Amino acid sequence: MEDRPIKKKRTEVHGSQNVELPPEIIDAILLRLPVKPLCRFKLVSKSWQSLISHPDFVANHSKAAVENKDRRRLFINNLLYSSFLLYSLNLDQFLNENDHTVDVDLVAAPTELDFWAPSVHCSCYGLFLSTEFASDNCYCLINPVTKESKKLPKPPIWRLPLNPFFLCIYALGFDYSTNEYKVINGQEYDDGLVFSVYTLQTGSWRKIDDLFPYKVFGCLDGIMVHGHVHWLARKVADGSSVIISFLLAEETVREIALPPNAPNDSINLGAFRDWLCVTSTSYIAIFNEFWVMKKYGVSESWTKMRVSKPYKDLSHSGFWTETHDLMVFDEKLLLMYNFNDDNFWTLSIGEVETISSIGSYVETPGYLNSLIKNNKFQGR
């Protein structure tokens, strides 16, 4: 990757002396700042604009926010009268300002994001992947802080004939080896999956020259864990259920075995903290357990977790503190759950009654306006 064009800055001290700040000091200071001041600081000089827009800086800024758990937010999809409303919540700040040690339920007031998004399915660092099913499965990348958006070209159909029950799977991931976002599209045929990858640097879709003998079931959007993207799938050869992992750097697929005691059907795949997670789901039965893979890729590390609150459908938000995990029970009840003592308390999100999906993201300068050349953007 090319070197960033960073110049030393002269700072006037006591009106007479100038000192030169080394590039690494400027870099360290800017990495600690929230996104909105950073966007304003792009106007200071061309070198600052190059620094703040550079992929390495954006990646380091996002990683620092994830590791320090600052600048992170919840996003909440609310389906209301066939329309999606998107909200954001600084839950860390809310918890710091409210006493949640007492036995009372808390109500948080989210902020409605003032840009149009048909439906947010995936988030990775500070970008959202939105899909428009009414527009032939078009994808859109959105930075909720800068309000920039980028509508992607429709993925080409690589083979004919299509599966009569043709499905597209999708995901947004971050390739740590190249510090770039990748949008993944998978097209299902009778004999397996064909993947293609879109990057902001190229502005186009690129086919992966392999056929992978799997058919996906369950959720179509991929789960990002350990730098890879995952789906539940069945082998074309014998119909057995597995987890498939799309390796972002190598751009290939490998299998991960399901928990030995988990059912093959009526399950969901998710992320619990930094682990892959499998939960059962049913309209009739109730459950009080789920499985997490505590050592990535090691089948023997699948561990059963128990909850004192029974569920029919359970999902994890990706938000957790040192003591609690935020989870959604039966698609409507948000609980902050403590696995140390099995106690929990309820969190309500303002007037949001129907939570279509919930997830966490970090505020980032993003790539949308800095790395794409000869493409126009629409800020909403």
Side-chain angles (χ1 to χ4, degrees), residues 104-276:
V104 295
D105 296 335
L106 294 183
V107 179
T111 301
E112 184 175 351
L113 294 175
D114 57 347
F115 59 84
W116 179 81
S119 178
V120 171
H121 290 276
C122 310
S123 68
C124 182
Y125 283 164
L127 296 188
F128 292 164
L129 178 65
S130 175
T131 55
E132 300 181 63
F133 292 106
S135 303
D136 297 323
N137 288 329
C138 288
Y139 300 99
C140 185
L141 285 174
I142 302 169
N143 186 321
V145 181
T146 64
K147 299 179 184 177
E148 293 173 334
S149 65
K150 167 66 178 176
K151 188 173 182 179
L152 309 189
K154 183 181 177 182
I157 295 176
W158 301 109
R159 294 177 54 196
L160 289 173
L162 291 172
N163 187 319
F165 304 100
F166 173 64
L167 292 175
C168 271
I169 60 176
Y170 44 84
L172 172 63
F174 188 82
D175 184 351
Y176 294 93
S177 67
T178 57
N179 276 348
E180 63 181 349
Y181 290 95
K182 290 183 176 180
V183 181
I184 313 301
N185 170 263
Q187 298 174 6
E188 185 176 291
Y189 300 87
D190 287 334
D191 51 354
L193 289 166
V194 173
F195 284 99
S196 54
V197 175
Y198 177 96
T199 62
L200 290 170
Q201 284 85 342
T202 62
S204 61
W205 291 95
R206 172 172 46 81
K207 179 176 176 289
I208 306 302
D209 292 327
D210 284 299
L211 175 69
F212 300 98
Y214 306 97
K215 293 188 177 183
V216 170
F217 69 96
C219 193
L220 300 181
D221 50 313
I223 305 298
M224 178 83 170
V225 172
H226 203 73
H228 311 309
V229 182
H230 307 80
W231 293 269
L232 290 171
R234 292 188 177 91
K235 297 180 183 180
V236 172
D238 58 12
S240 59
S241 299
V242 294
I243 299 170
I244 58 171
S245 171
F246 185 91
L247 283 62
L248 290 169
E250 297 84 353
E251 296 185 348
T252 188
V253 171
R254 72 173 181 180
E255 292 182 10
I256 296 177
L258 285 165
N261 297 323
N264 286 331
D265 297 308
S266 300
I267 55 176
N268 285 330
L269 184 67
F272 177 73
R273 303 176 190 173
D274 295 323
W275 306 321
L276 274 177

Side-chain angles (χ1 to χ4, degrees), residues 35-173:
V35 173
K36 290 183 179 180
L38 278 178
C39 292
R40 293 196 298 268
F41 290 162
K42 286 183 180 181
L43 303 177
V44 171
S45 66
K46 290 184 178 179
S47 61
W48 277 37
Q49 183 181 24
S50 293
L51 167 61
I52 295 170
S53 302
H54 197 279
D56 287 346
F57 179 88
V58 174
N60 291 333
H61 187 272
S62 300
K63 290 175 185 176
V66 171
E67 292 169 358
N68 299 329
K69 292 185 171 60
D70 60 352
R71 301 193 296 272
R72 66 172 175 173
R73 303 289 186 270
L74 285 181
F75 73 87
I76 304 103
N77 260 328
N78 179 27
L79 179 60
L80 183 65
Y81 305 119
S82 300
S83 298
F84 282 98
L85 299 177
L86 189 62
Y87 296 88
S88 176
L89 175 64
N90 187 339
L91 187 53
D92 288 295
Q93 179 179 338
F94 176 80
L95 295 177
N96 289 334
E97 295 175 352
N98 292 270
D99 184 6
H100 52 277
T101 60
V102 297
D103 188 20
V104 295
D105 296 335
L106 294 183
V107 179
T111 301
E112 184 175 351
L113 294 175
D114 57 347
F115 59 84
W116 179 81
S119 178
V120 171
H121 290 276
C122 310
S123 68
C124 182
Y125 283 164
L127 296 188
F128 292 164
L129 178 65
S130 175
T131 55
E132 300 181 63
F133 292 106
S135 303
D136 297 323
N137 288 329
C138 288
Y139 300 99
C140 185
L141 285 174
I142 302 169
N143 186 321
V145 181
T146 64
K147 299 179 184 177
E148 293 173 334
S149 65
K150 167 66 178 176
K151 188 173 182 179
L152 309 189
K154 183 181 177 182
I157 295 176
W158 301 109
R159 294 177 54 196
L160 289 173
L162 291 172
N163 187 319
F165 304 100
F166 173 64
L167 292 175
C168 271
I169 60 176
Y170 44 84
L172 172 63

Side-chain angles (χ1 to χ4, degrees), residues 294-339:
K294 292 196 171 182
K295 184 176 289 188
Y296 182 79
V298 179
S299 299
E300 293 77 15
S301 71
W302 281 112
T303 303
K304 187 180 292 186
M305 306 280 288
R306 295 188 179 274
V307 290
S308 57
K309 171 74 176 175
Y311 71 90
K312 293 182 180 179
D313 184 269
L314 179 67
S315 59
H316 305 284
S317 68
F319 179 95
W320 74 93
T321 67
E322 292 182 358
T323 57
H324 289 79
D325 292 86
L326 179 63
M327 302 190 295
V328 186
F329 283 72
D330 299 333
E331 299 181 340
K332 59 183 179 180
L333 187 62
L334 277 172
L335 297 183
M336 292 292 291
Y337 197 96
N338 188 329
F339 281 89

